């Protein structure tokens, strides 16, 4: 986190305090979609944060799909219009959500960003950013891929929504790490728009067109689930080094069966819990850190039942 961003966030917090933002009321948690178990686990974390105190309430919402960016913008605008006390936002698009976050700031409504970063132009209009270090996570998967397949051959990248902050770090650093540390050839990336059916069809086509593929990476939950199903349908389970991202029940079963070598799992519960706590801290006038790393665990068949994995799986 650079010094300029830290100072801008501090100035933003002071402006909100001066505007009288420290008030009880609704904290609106707005995620990329409500149709994913990952985001429902964020909801569980947010609910845990709000329980046991009476000063604030919490609402949870998101569009039907991650690609419905205009719908997410409208949800933020609606939250501002009804005068919520604070917002926890997982932006689906770094540029499109920036004006709405700026309007919240101008309305003295604190905003905490989770999961994916906003564009640099939004610096100073939100109070904190909570996320997995997606670049480190991508490099973690890439290192595990090299350990499994070696340094030569083809590796396909099944991604989700181009340009999203988490995707830029996660997939970009995965690809950069492979390029710097191996001669592995990258096939793709392919973008599923976070739709499992799209990922299944895309992976089926990639497997058919590249029978010599040695590895494949599914970079978020619906993409990795579709990828895993395609691998099984193609009879390739256990024959290709497949790595996924996120940790729902389907992905856990793929790890247990050997369809997936491993899954990199974020602290989704922590994003919701710490995000709501951060907003409540701002409203109470407490100092918060500008960046909070919510962590990632590489879950394999060997450690899936260990506490470190069970604490992040959902």
């Amino acid at each position: 986190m650079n010094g300029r961003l830290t100072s801008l966030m501090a100035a933003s917090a002071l402006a909100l305090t001066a505007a009288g933002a420290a008030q009880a009321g609704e904290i609106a948690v707005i995620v990329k979609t409500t149709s994913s178990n990952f985001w429902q686990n964020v909801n569980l974390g947010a609910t845990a944060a709000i329980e046991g105190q009476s000063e604030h309430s919490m609402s949870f919402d998101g569009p039907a799909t991650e690609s419905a960016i205009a719908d997410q913008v409208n949800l933020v605008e609606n939250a501002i219009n009804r005068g919520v006390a604070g917002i926890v936002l997982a932006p689906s698009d770094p540029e499109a959500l920036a004006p709405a976050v700026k309007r919240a700031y101008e309305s003295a409504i604190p905003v905490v960003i989770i999961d994916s970063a906003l564009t640099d132009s939004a610096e100073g209009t939100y109070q904190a950013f909570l996320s997995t270090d997606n670049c480190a996570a991508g490099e973690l998967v890439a290192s595990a891929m090299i350990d499994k397949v070696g340094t030569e051959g083809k590796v396909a990248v099944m991604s989700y929504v181009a340009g999203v902050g988490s995707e830029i770090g996660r997939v970009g650093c995965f690809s950069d790490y492979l390029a710097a540390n191996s001669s592995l050839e990258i096939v793709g990336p392919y973008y599923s728009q976070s739709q499992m059916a799209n990922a299944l069809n895309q992976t089926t086509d990639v497997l058919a067109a590249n029978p010599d593929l040695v590895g494949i990476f599914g970079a978020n939950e619906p993409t990795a689930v579709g990828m895993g199903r395609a691998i099984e349908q193609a009879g390739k389970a256990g024959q290709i080094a497949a790595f996924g991202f996120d940790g729902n029940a389907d992905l856990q079963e793929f790890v247990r069966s050997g369809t997936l070598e491993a899954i990199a799992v974020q602290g989704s519960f922590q994003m919701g819990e710490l995000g709501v706590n951060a907003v409540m801290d701002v409203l109470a006038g407490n100092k918060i850190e500008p960046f909070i790393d919510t962590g990632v665990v590489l879950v394999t068949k060997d450690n899936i039942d260990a506490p470190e994995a069970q604490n992040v799986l959902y």
Side-chain angles (χ1 to χ4, degrees):
M1 185 62 61
N2 62 47
R4 177 170 174 263
L5 179 52
T6 302
S7 61
L8 283 168
M9 284 181 171
S12 172
L14 287 171
L16 283 163
T17 301
Q23 57 187 344
E26 175 192 349
I27 297 174
V29 180
I30 301 171
V31 297
K32 295 180 182 180
T33 178
T34 55
S35 63
S36 160
N37 287 334
F38 178 87
W39 296 111
Q40 288 300 329
N41 209 41
V42 171
N43 185 18
L44 292 176
T47 300
I50 215 76
E51 285 176 350
Q53 60 84 45
S54 58
E55 190 174 2
H56 301 288
S57 62
M58 190 273 291
S59 63
F60 177 81
D61 209 347
T65 66
E66 287 194 24
S67 57
I69 295 167
D71 291 347
Q72 192 185 45
V73 172
N74 288 337
L75 289 172
V76 178
E77 294 284 355
N78 290 341
I80 296 168
N81 291 341
R82 65 178 182 268
V84 301
I87 297 172
V88 177
L89 173 66
S92 290
D93 183 278
E95 299 281 350
L97 273 298
V101 171
K102 181 181 180 183
R103 186 180 161 221
Y105 168 72
E106 291 169 346
S107 301
I109 298 172
V111 179
V112 168
I113 301 298
I114 62 172
D115 185 59
S116 293
L118 283 175
T119 180
D120 289 348
S121 66
E123 288 181 358
T125 62
Y126 55 94
Q127 280 58 64
F129 177 42
L130 290 77
S131 176
T132 300
D133 183 335
N134 280 290
C135 182
E139 290 177 345
L140 178 67
V141 177
S143 177
M145 179 72 76
I146 291 172
D147 288 344
K148 182 64 179 178
V149 306
T151 58
E152 296 185 355
K154 292 182 181 178
V155 171
V157 176
M158 314 308 296
S159 191
Y160 45 114
V161 180
V164 172
S166 62
E167 191 272 343
I168 292 171
R170 193 179 303 170
V171 174
C173 291
F174 172 85
S175 301
D176 290 347
Y177 189 95
L178 290 189
N181 295 279
S182 76
S183 299
L184 289 164
E185 175 188 346
I186 293 174
V187 178
Y190 300 88
Y191 298 101
S192 69
Q193 303 306 314
S194 288
Q195 298 295 306
M196 187 278 294
N198 289 346
L200 192 158
N201 292 332
Q202 289 172 336
T203 304
T204 297
D205 291 343
V206 168
L207 292 173
N210 300 274
D212 54 345
L213 211 63
V214 298
I216 190 166
F217 173 39
N220 76 344
E221 178 191 294
T223 305
V225 171
M227 179 189 78
R229 291 179 181 175
I231 290 170
E232 290 188 339
Q233 290 176 13
K236 296 275 191 177
Q239 299 177 22
I240 182 171
F243 290 80
F245 212 98
D246 296 329
N248 73 355
D250 287 337
L251 294 173
Q252 293 172 51
E253 183 55 37
F254 286 144
V255 171
R256 292 185 186 277
S257 69
T259 297
L260 295 184
E261 185 72 23
I263 46 177
V265 186
Q266 304 175 82
S268 53
F269 185 97
Q270 291 90 326
M271 285 184 192
E273 182 178 36
L274 297 178
V276 169
N277 282 336
V279 169
M280 291 192 293
D281 279 341
V282 173
L283 292 171
N286 298 329
K287 183 178 183 298
I288 62 173
E289 293 297 321
F291 176 74
I292 300 170
D293 184 358
T294 51
V296 65
V297 176
L298 192 67
V299 178
T300 68
K301 189 184 294 188
D302 291 336
N303 72 354
I304 193 168
D305 292 315
E308 66 176 17
Q310 289 298 310
N311 286 342
V312 296
L313 295 169
Y314 51 91

